[in-house]
Amino acid sequence: MKKQIGILLAAILILLLGWNLLSAPAVRETDPPEENITGGDWRTWGIIDDQGTLVRGGETIDFCACVHTGDTALYYDTEDQVLLAELVYPAPVENAEERYLGMEITDRNGDGSSDILLRFSQGKGTLELLFCWDPETENFLSVPS
C-alpha cells in the first residue's frame, strides 16, 4: 500500500511539474546587435559566383560577379550592391550558373584596361566569351575570343 501511495504521489508531482513548464511564458530571443557585423551585407546573402580585381582607366576596382543565363553582372565589392558593369552574352548560355568554370582578367588588347574572359563547360569542351572595355561607350563589349 505504501508503495502504491508513493507511486501515486510521484505521478502527481510529475504532472504538476509538467503543467507548470507548459504554462510558463516563452523565452523571447533578444534582438540582434545594432552594430555592423562583418560580412552581414549582400555579399553574404547574395549569390556571388566569382570575385576579382580589374583595371579600368588606370583605376583598380575590386568586384563580385553574378553569373546568369543572359549576362554576368559585375558589382563593386562594397557593402552596398552597386552595379559596375554587365557582360552581355552574344547568345544565352543555358544553365550558366552550373556551367560556369571561371574567369581570366588580363589586358589582352594593350589598352591599359582589363579584359574579361568567361569560361563555361560545353559538352566535352569549353565555351569562352571575351569582353573588352570600350572607353567610348563605357561598357564591356563582347568580341571574338
Side-chain angles (χ1 to χ4, degrees), residues 45-97:
W45 51 259
I47 298 174
I48 297 174
D49 298 296
D50 214 334
Q51 292 179 296
T53 302
L54 60 85
V55 176
R56 189 175 69 187
E59 178 186 6
T60 302
I61 304 169
D62 293 329
F63 69 90
C64 300
C66 300
V67 177
H68 308 109
T69 299
D71 69 0
T72 293
L74 305 181
Y75 295 96
Y76 289 94
D77 190 0
T78 58
E79 188 174 310
D80 296 321
Q81 188 175 13
V82 178
L83 186 65
L84 169 63
E86 288 181 295
L87 310 177
V88 179
Y89 311 150
V93 178
E94 295 302 319
N95 300 315
E97 299 88 350

Side-chain angles (χ1 to χ4, degrees), residues 7 12 18 20 23 28 33 93 96 102:
I7 292 173
I12 291 172
N20 282 337
S23 63
R28 273 186 70 197
V93 178

Side-chain angles (χ1 to χ4, degrees), residues 63-137:
F63 69 90
C64 300
C66 300
V67 177
H68 308 109
T69 299
D71 69 0
T72 293
L74 305 181
Y75 295 96
Y76 289 94
D77 190 0
T78 58
E79 188 174 310
D80 296 321
Q81 188 175 13
V82 178
L83 186 65
L84 169 63
E86 288 181 295
L87 310 177
V88 179
Y89 311 150
V93 178
E94 295 302 319
N95 300 315
E97 299 88 350
E98 291 84 32
R99 295 173 48 199
Y100 179 71
L101 298 174
M103 71 172 59
E104 181 182 309
I105 306 164
T106 57
D107 181 6
R108 291 176 172 260
N109 59 9
D111 67 355
S113 293
S114 298
D115 304 312
I116 301 175
L117 179 69
L118 300 177
R119 289 191 175 94
F120 299 90
S121 62
Q122 181 173 343
K124 294 182 181 182
T126 303
L127 169 65
E128 294 185 336
L129 301 176
L130 178 60
F131 298 88
C132 293
W133 177 251
D134 180 18
E136 290 180 20
T137 63

